[in-house]
Amino acid sequence: VASLGTAADPDLGALGLVRLLEAAPDGADLRAALRGDHDLRARLLAVLGASAALGEHLARHPGDWHVVGDANWPGDHVVPTQRELERVLLAAVGADPDRPGDPGNPARDGEPATLDALRVAYRRALLGIAARDLCAGPSVDEVAAELADLAGATLTAAFAVAAAQLPPDAAPCRLSVIGMGKCGGRELNYVSDVDVVFVAEPVPGGDEGSALRTAAALAAGLMRACSATTAEGAIWPVDAALRPEGKAGPLVRTLGSHVAYYAKWAKTWEFQALLKARPLAGDAALGAAYVDALAPLVWRAVERPHFVEDVQAMRRRVEAQLPKLQAEREVKLGPGGLRDVEFAVQLLQLVHGRTDPALRSRGTLDALDALARGGYVGRDDAADLAAAYRFLRTVEHRLQLYRLRRTHLLPTDPADLRRLARGMGFRTDPVAEFEAARARHTREVRRLHEKLFYRPLLLAVARLPAAEERLTREAAEARLLALGFADPTGALRHLAALTAGVSRRAAIQRTLLPVMLHWFADAPDPDAGLLAFRQVSDALGTTHWYLRLLRDEGAAAERLPRLLATSRYLAELLLRAPEAVAMLARDDDLAPRPRAALECEMRAAVARRREDPEDAVVGVRSLRRRELLRIAAADLLGRLDVREVGEALTDVTAATLAAGLAAATAEVERERG
């Protein structure tokens, strides 16, 4: 009873246990195990209390309760590898476990019984994953990777089932199943379409047309083997709609045909989909060749016209198509949902991964970690985004585990919502605690999505020619001359000083400078501007906010080089008060302040230093320099006309005189009474 009380739904768990005990031929053994084995009891009751679907599976196949208790099933590891899972599922359909992905390794005859056996073996493996997941074993990303491995093993067994259906005179072929989307990225849900692409080649000396016909029959048979409904239900749909030309295109293509399509005809979203491409089943060598051939096209896709804008527009379209009543309950597609995280991370990968191979990860969390290490995303932002992503993925898993149905909608029924909240670990006031946590994570995801996904710097980086995104000494001086630098050797020294080393500061500068050089070049004196930028960076580079401001706030990154390369006076003001660079981020901060506010602030500075009039005047001068910098920046950026500049300078001067008079008055009063 105590163990049932920790389950997501104790009533559901009790019902599932009764049905299992009634069906189990070894009921005495099960009762003894429940009494004596704490781990088995915790795992089994957690599964029964969270998943009605797996409870029904155990009632139909009661002997599978052993899977829940045996932590080492089916091999020597707590977590089975994809190869171990392949052996188990191939054996279940009667194929040779030592020949995965071989078209000459068919399943046994008798398709209905074979398909039932595949489904039973699949759910038996799923039962083991769910048992570990629900008892706080692996993290949600490890669970997702296990589910993807199980999907890959299932496709391998389905391949054997499809091979058994080929006619005896079928031409030999090589066929590889490429995983896309979450399955390719090893971040699969409990229930999801498995997105795939098929690539085929004839065997050496074989006829291409005949080989493609065989491969198409294999691919179609594999899809049916997974999606067909039998007495044991279906596994999941295999979706090949991400292939070239979508559903209108041929199901199977040669590698050369794939490469030709992506080189000439592919749309922006198709390259985004290829980010996660991974061989799953079939001919492993052909699958590796597919990934290697298309990877260069993926990482050059950002050079296409309007690439960043296209990705951003696609995300907006997905949001706009959501019914309003569902948007707030959508864990995946709604604002602040999983798609916000995935789109932001993928866009950053595609823009910066062109020149940084460290960002070329298939998984969202691995890529986010690499973006943080490389300085493309702030550490705190990355940590908050990863925590929210893990929370939302766990919600998605718990939702789907209940009925093993594909859903991303939060329930409206109070009992269902309570079960979900308890399944997430909330106990005192489950629903209220869950809703508060979800609201917090959703708000954070939305804030960071808008900050990262619509970051102005992304557009500038994407528009750079690939040869300019990373500075090489061989071409740097010629490029600097072409940009308009009078002393390219000196400029190169400044660039080397700013970008040298392996520090996070240097990594961020290496991302910023190729773009900023163009903004320096658009101003009257690029050489002086770059020198001033180096001096400002030396003064502020160790602060936590300076480079983050330039990276995350596109306005500041663009304005600073243009101002420094236009006005030496402004550069001198900034070097005296480098922290004032923060005002460049927001238009409101560049608006001149009213005379009354200035006079009040300056008089307050004098009042704090009444005993030392010289120190009081130093404080007033510092405030004056800040305001002159504000006015000069607004003037050069075209935000003030000549009359407004004159009035603003007059107000600063009048406030300075008033504060100076206050300081002098205080000194005279102290001396003469």
Side-chain angles (χ1 to χ4, degrees), residues 504-529:
R504 185 177 179 81
R505 172 184 173 186
I508 298 175
Q509 290 280 25
R510 284 193 290 271
T511 302
L512 292 169
L513 278 167
V515 177
M516 296 179 75
L517 282 178
H518 287 261
W519 292 327
F520 282 115
D522 287 341
D525 193 346
D527 299 85

Side-chain angles (χ1 to χ4, degrees), residues 275-276 299 349 357-364 366-368 370 373:
L275 267 177
K276 298 181 184 297
W299 300 112
Q349 278 184 277
L359 303 182
R360 299 176 186 179
S361 301
R362 293 188 179 97
T364 301
D366 288 342
L368 186 55
R373 286 199 309 272

Side-chain angles (χ1 to χ4, degrees), residues 525-665:
D525 193 346
D527 299 85
L530 184 58
L531 171 61
F533 178 73
R534 178 182 174 183
Q535 292 169 332
V536 171
S537 294
D538 287 343
L540 291 175
T542 57
T543 62
H544 70 281
W545 59 267
Y546 169 63
L547 289 176
R548 184 176 67 194
L549 174 83
L550 297 182
R551 180 192 63 206
D552 296 345
E553 303 290 345
E558 184 174 357
R559 287 168 172 173
L560 181 60
R562 288 180 172 165
L563 294 173
L564 294 176
T566 299
S567 169
R568 294 194 180 194
Y569 175 65
L570 184 146
E572 290 168 3
L573 288 172
L574 194 55
L575 288 171
R576 297 288 296 276
E579 67 281 353
V581 73
M583 72 174 62
L584 300 180
R586 297 176 65 249
D587 291 345
D588 291 349
D589 289 340
L590 293 176
R593 300 179 62 204
R595 173 178 171 178
L598 293 172
E599 191 169 325
C600 180
E601 185 178 13
M602 289 182 177
R603 285 179 178 275
V606 169
R608 289 194 297 271
R609 300 172 174 85
R610 289 183 63 85
E611 302 305 316
D612 187 346
E614 290 187 7
D615 186 42
V617 171
V618 168
V620 172
R621 285 177 174 168
S622 175
L623 295 172
R624 174 177 175 270
R625 279 195 300 271
R626 183 196 69 193
E627 295 309 313
L628 291 175
L629 177 61
R630 191 193 311 273
I631 296 165
D635 180 6
L636 292 175
L637 293 171
R639 302 192 60 78
L640 299 176
D641 61 28
V642 68
R643 179 182 59 80
E644 292 168 325
V645 171
E647 290 176 352
L649 290 171
T650 301
D651 288 344
V652 171
T653 302
T656 304
L657 288 170
L661 178 59
T665 302

Side-chain angles (χ1 to χ4, degrees), residues 291-304:
V291 172
D292 291 343
L294 292 180
L297 298 178
V298 172
W299 300 112
R300 291 200 303 267
V302 72
E303 298 169 18
R304 295 160 60 92

